[in-house]
Amino acid sequence: MMQSGVPLCNTCGEQVGFDANGEAFVACHDCNFPICKACFDFEINEGRRVCLRCGTPYLGKAMDHGDTEVLGNRSTMATQLSNSQDVGLHARHVSTVSTVDSDLVDEYGNPIWKNRVESWKEKDKKKKKKKEAPQVEHGPQIPQEQHMEENQPLDANEPLSRVIPVPKTRLSPYRTIIIIRLIILGLFFHYRVTNPVDSAYGLWMTSIICEIWFAFSWVLDQFPKWSPINRETYIDRLSARYEREGETSELAAVDFFVSTVDPLKEPPLITANTVLSILAVDYPVDKVSCYLSDDGAAMLTFESLVETADFARKWVPFCKKYAIEPRAPEFYFSQKIDYLKDKVQPSFVKERRAMKRDYEEFKIRINALVAKAQKTPEEGWTMGDGTPWPGNNPRDHPGMIQVFLGSSGALDIEGDILPRLVYVSREKRPGHQHHKKAGAENALVRVSAILTNAPYILNLDCDHYVNNSKAVREAMCFLMDPVVGRDLCYVQFPQRFDGIDRSDRYANRNTVFFDVNMKGLDGIQGPVYVGTGCVFNRQALYGYSPPSMPSLPKSSSSCCCFSSKKPAKDNSEVYKDAKRAELEAAIFNLREIENYDEYERSMLISQMSFEKTFGLSSVFIESTLMENGGVPDTVNPSTLIKEAIHVISCGYEEKTEWGKEIGWIYGSVTEDILTGFKMHCRGWRSVYCMPLRPAFKGSAPINLSDRLHQVLRWALGSVEIFLSRHCPLWYGFAGGRLKWLQRMAYINTIVYPFTSLPLVAYCSLPAICLLTGKFIIPTLSNLASALFLGLFLSIIITSVLELRWSGVSIEDLWRNEQFWVIGGVSAHLFAVFQGFLKMLAGIDTNFTVTAKAADDAEFGELYIVKWTTVLIPPTTLIVVNLVGVVAGFSDALSGGYETWGPLFGKVFFAFWVIFHLYPFLKGLMGRQNRTPTIVILWSVLLASVFSLVWVKINPFVNRPDASALSQACISIDC
């Protein structure tokens, strides 16, 4: 990328040249995107006055661009653009390839693609005139500003979205108080370290270590929120640009992925509602395909999908005719609102009543299938034609694919076509690693590439339905924007939930994370991927770098912070980046040459070892070359299903890059965090989209035990990432494509479970202090009192200012704080030990849950009490602190007036723990204040043993020297 110290232009491949001061020409001072003066002039004259990478306006520099010598004229630039097939802002690899073609060499220093491409281009020029006519049909390949300048109104050329920064009147005080709090923390720790408590040195040292870790965690959590932003989308401009009246819609196609495993744990009715909401989404029907992954190969799921497809023929036209929201029937009919509002059609009431009756009959059929599936026949399940169900053994069965809708024969009741609906169950064989959900998602990537190959993918959990029918259009306002969408790997929507009690006792909504942390990340490099409600760029899932990001040269190992200490690791990363750039160059050149025959295609695919990356499927490999999606014209439609079965075979991923560099990444139960992290390391950005009407809604576990086990699984995944090669502490430094605040945020996502260790210790300190009569803080001076007061005030003010710019309520903040303690001393603690046992010793431990009956009332599940070992640590802490409070007051009553002052500090400390654990205590009691006897017995036993051992050993209190004590007694004058 560098010749004589001058970078190369990412558009034409020439040197960027020098300005009047003799320095390298820089067009954008925000991101330093390399573009030469000639290309810069061309962009300005064409009316494009924003940076191609970051979208920042050129401002005054764009207006006055005549003071520097022009290194190339506009006619030359126009010729270069014409020779590259008029590639515009939508061509994702135009900048990368122009550089790769001139600089990419193999390990012996020989050019790989240059000579071959030149010969191909010579052959291509002969048929240039024949190509120009079909190119007119590919609208997205032409710059939108030129394509619609004469045909569309003015707003069609305007941005499809905009960033709304947080007002400075709210953000500046917030940043100021963060800095002040950081300074106060420094002074506070200086005082704490320089003023030890000699009478309880062990307690003091323990508290210091815990407090330092809490401060470190606060820094990791706070600073990625330094630049929060909001975004606004313009769906009307999207329609004006890509849905011109009287013409075919040019909106990009979208493949929906829905994953399910066990229909007895994930009710088929909920999955059916999710599928129905997808099929009825407000988007061109020929652009929508829904793929349901049944990873349990259950005949119940298959049969329920058959019923769902039949009911969709009635439900989809009803939703689109009357603009129904939401378009999941179960949740639409259960709304406690006036359903006649904004409905003026006289026939609506009649049709709604008929549709509700049809849906009730549909529910009866689904429930009958569920009841039938409760007991499996000894000979296994049999299909309607009498043949055995192929998935009778869920761990050993062939791949299965069934297309239900989308063909000419599958029309709705009004005679219109429906979106494609495909059932997929990948092959399972003993002895093969299947990688759970991540493996199922990767199988869907390959199947969808064979059958529909939409350029964008939206994945949902089976219990997350489409609540906003325009959600896909909201995402397309970012992904199809010529400027914003260039480097965009995914658009993440917040998770919203139904069926949670008003007080949200266990912080199921995660409001602080979704409304505060994610907005902060959106202002850096983008939000993290949270596993559902996310629209992906398919090219990003294939492991490529963004088009505006230059390829890493082999000498870029110096970019790594640890290059001097760990050169082998850095060289391997650079080698992988070089191989990835080589593959990107190969794909670009194959895409450029449209007139090669079948023999040339097969030779090129074999020559570049595409099979070692994507697997042994030429049809799939060819689909990866089609950047704008669609099935290749050279493919025989009759062989697509056979090829789709081939790509979901259990051995297809062997010796390929699947799960390593391509698709969902393996190695953790939280594959979502790992997948998004890899994309950000390659230089991609992501966007956080929060429409006024929530895009998707799901179901959350609302009882205490289920919630803790959910948090346990998340924390276990973070520990697995921490112990893997993808740990953000050391992975992805080469190239510097991951911003430091973004890296800090990812570090926070993998180290937070370890906070459980100091948190358990810190929550035990109040009881220890009350039982021993010692304290972790010495007698306070005026300076110390001021420091403590300043620290408490800074904590309160930071929270208030955060609530002010985010819009989160104080109740949500307090619930989040409470559950941080509850989850920290229970689920996170178990996750740390379970993670180390699993990753280091290979021992996989499971904490089983046994449910009791729930009350038949609203939120009845909230009061279910399930026995699980995760409940023991917080219960023990509550019992110990209550015992400590009683013991402290008893000592104060017998100790005189002077003992009451120190007691208040210790009691306040103990009640801080009890108040944070109060929702846990309330959930443990259930509705009738009943608690599992075994939990009480274990907790009381542990508390008693702990207290007795403490009294016997008392390790944190200095023992007086016996000789000194006897000498002191002798010197006493009685």
Side-chain angles (χ1 to χ4, degrees), residues 127-147:
K127 300 181 180 180
K128 185 68 177 179
K129 295 181 180 180
K130 296 181 180 180
K131 295 180 185 178
E132 290 177 355
Q135 282 179 356
V136 176
E137 299 176 0
H138 300 286
Q141 291 294 333
I142 301 175
Q144 296 301 322
E145 293 82 356
Q146 300 175 18
H147 186 70

Side-chain angles (χ1 to χ4, degrees), residues 870-881:
V870 180
L871 301 176
I872 294 177
T875 308
T876 303
L877 286 175
I878 292 176
V879 173
V880 168
N881 277 278

